[in-house]
């Protein structure tokens, strides 16, 4: 799943997605917009309870490379597990944010916007969500609804979900398909684990779905699944009609 990098909200909330043949000026805009601190809120990527964090600068370091085309801005990481503990450089390439190790080995290519980028970790089954420190912008509305209702409802019902029902699904060692999850609502499937990613379809309430990977972001749990020939991501919690905080699926059918 490949997604573009976009600059959102720079001009009257217009979404700007530059083509691969980006001008020097647009490349500079990307480097400026995507530099700064990034966090992975999923603590499985960190060496302690604190999030894995990155500092992507606009400073280009030689790092022993010779060709001008290989010069990249520097990057550093803190409190991260492999492979993100080895981040030394980054760049904007083919409309994606690319992270590199010391030896110019590619760690990950991520698409999204200047607040959130997502993608796969090399050739592994894992995916990653990088965010700014303040997290997803819709979190404030969800938190306010949760304070008012003091409940995350089980789908369309008036019953509150338990702590166990809101937890991450449990994977077998090394990943792979886990126990099926049951959808409590009609649910959009996203191409990437972010709300503004393209929808690849809608699954009806009651669908029993096998997921093969889950991760935690600032806006909750996202799980990846295959259904038919398609693949995509489903979010475990959301606001229904901008009013009620709900759980969208349970960890078993």
């Amino acid at each position: 799943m490949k997604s573009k990098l976009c600059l959102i909200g720079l001009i009257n909330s217009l979404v700007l997605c530059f083509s691969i043949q980006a001008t020097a000026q647009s490349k500079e805009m990307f480097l400026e917009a995507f530099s700064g601190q990034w966090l992975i809120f999923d603590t499985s990527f960190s060496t302690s309870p604190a999030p894995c964090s990155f500092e992507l600068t606009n400073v280009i370091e030689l790092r022993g490379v010779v060709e001008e085309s290989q010069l990249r801005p520097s990057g550093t990481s803190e409190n991260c597990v492999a492979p993100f503990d080895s981040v030394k450089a980054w760049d904007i390439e083919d409309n994606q944010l690319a992270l590199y190790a010391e030896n110019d080995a590619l760690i990950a290519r991520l698409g999204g916007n200047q607040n959130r980028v997502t993608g796969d970790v090399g050739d592994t089954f894992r995916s990653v969500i990088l965010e700014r420190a303040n997290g997803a912008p819709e979190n404030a509305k969800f938190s306010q609804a949760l304070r008012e209702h003091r409940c995350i409802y089980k789908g369309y019902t008036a019953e509150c979900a338990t702590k166990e029902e809101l937890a991450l699904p449990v994977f077998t060692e090394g990943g792979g398909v886990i126990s099926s999850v049951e959808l409590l609502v009609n649910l959009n499937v996203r191409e990437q684990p972010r709300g503004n990613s393209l929808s690849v379809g809608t699954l009806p309430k009651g669908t029993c779905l096998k997921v093969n990977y889950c991760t935690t972001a600032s806006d909750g749990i996202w799980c990846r699944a295959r259904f038919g020939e398609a693949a995509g991501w489903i979010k475990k919690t959301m606001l229904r009609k901008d009013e009620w905080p709900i759980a969208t699926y349970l960890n078993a059918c």
Side-chain angles (χ1 to χ4, degrees):
M1 299 179 186
K2 185 175 181 181
S3 56
K4 292 182 179 180
L5 284 174
C6 303
L7 304 185
I8 296 179
L10 298 185
I11 305 176
N12 297 328
S13 298
L14 181 67
V15 178
L16 304 178
C17 297
F18 290 93
S19 68
I20 293 176
Q21 308 299 326
T23 65
Q25 184 177 9
S26 65
K27 178 67 173 288
E28 290 175 1
M29 290 174 63
F30 268 117
L31 292 178
E32 177 64 26
F34 287 87
S35 62
Q37 187 185 42
W38 292 87
L39 303 175
I40 303 177
F41 287 99
D42 186 337
T43 55
S44 69
F45 287 93
S46 64
T47 56
S48 77
C52 162
S53 66
F54 305 88
E55 190 67 34
L56 305 183
T57 77
N58 251 333
V59 179
I60 294 178
E61 295 183 356
L62 295 179
R63 302 185 335 277
V65 298
V66 178
E67 297 182 22
E68 184 177 352
S69 62
Q70 292 180 290
L71 298 180
R72 301 187 180 99
S74 65
T76 57
S77 60
E78 183 178 356
N79 197 42
C80 303
V81 300
F84 295 107
D85 59 341
S86 60
V87 169
K88 297 297 180 184
W90 68 288
D91 210 342
I92 303 298
E93 300 170 351
D94 294 340
N95 288 324
Q96 293 184 304
L97 188 154
L99 298 176
Y100 287 91
E102 180 71 53
N103 59 356
D104 287 326
L106 180 66
I107 295 174
R109 287 188 184 275
L110 311 169
N113 57 54
Q114 74 271 29
N115 296 312
R116 187 170 186 159
V117 290
T118 60
D120 296 334
V121 182
D123 296 327
T124 72
F125 69 92
R126 306 182 80 189
S127 292
V128 66
I129 301 172
L130 269 65
E131 303 179 72
R132 299 299 192 176
N134 56 352
E138 60 269 25
N139 287 353
K141 184 179 288 188
F142 187 90
S143 297
Q144 177 61 31
L146 188 56
R147 284 193 294 270
E148 291 178 2
H149 293 278
R150 298 181 180 275
C151 175
I152 296 180
Y153 299 100
K154 293 170 66 171
Y156 302 138
T157 73
E159 182 181 355
C160 295
T162 65
K163 182 178 180 180
E164 291 74 20
E165 290 171 330
L166 295 171
L168 270 167
V170 178
F171 281 84
T172 57
E173 186 176 354
V177 174
I178 64 166
S179 299
S180 300
V181 299
E182 180 182 2
L183 301 193
L184 299 172
V185 299
N186 300 326
L187 189 60
N188 281 332
V189 180
R190 300 290 177 182
E191 188 178 75
Q192 288 287 325
R194 54 181 191 271
N196 64 352
S197 182
L198 291 175
S199 173
V200 296
T202 301
L203 295 175
K205 174 186 175 182
T207 298
C208 192
L209 187 67
K210 290 186 181 297
V211 296
N212 56 28
Y213 182 75
C214 295
T215 187
T216 303
S218 66
D219 58 347
I221 295 169
W222 289 81
C223 289
R224 183 181 61 210
R226 295 197 66 86
F227 53 102
E229 296 298 319
W233 292 82
I234 55 174
K235 189 172 181 292
K236 189 163 190 180
T237 54
M238 59 182 290
L239 275 184
R240 182 187 174 211
K241 296 184 177 181
D242 286 332
E243 170 67 24
W244 296 282
I246 67 169
T248 61
Y249 57 87
L250 297 178
N251 291 347
C253 290

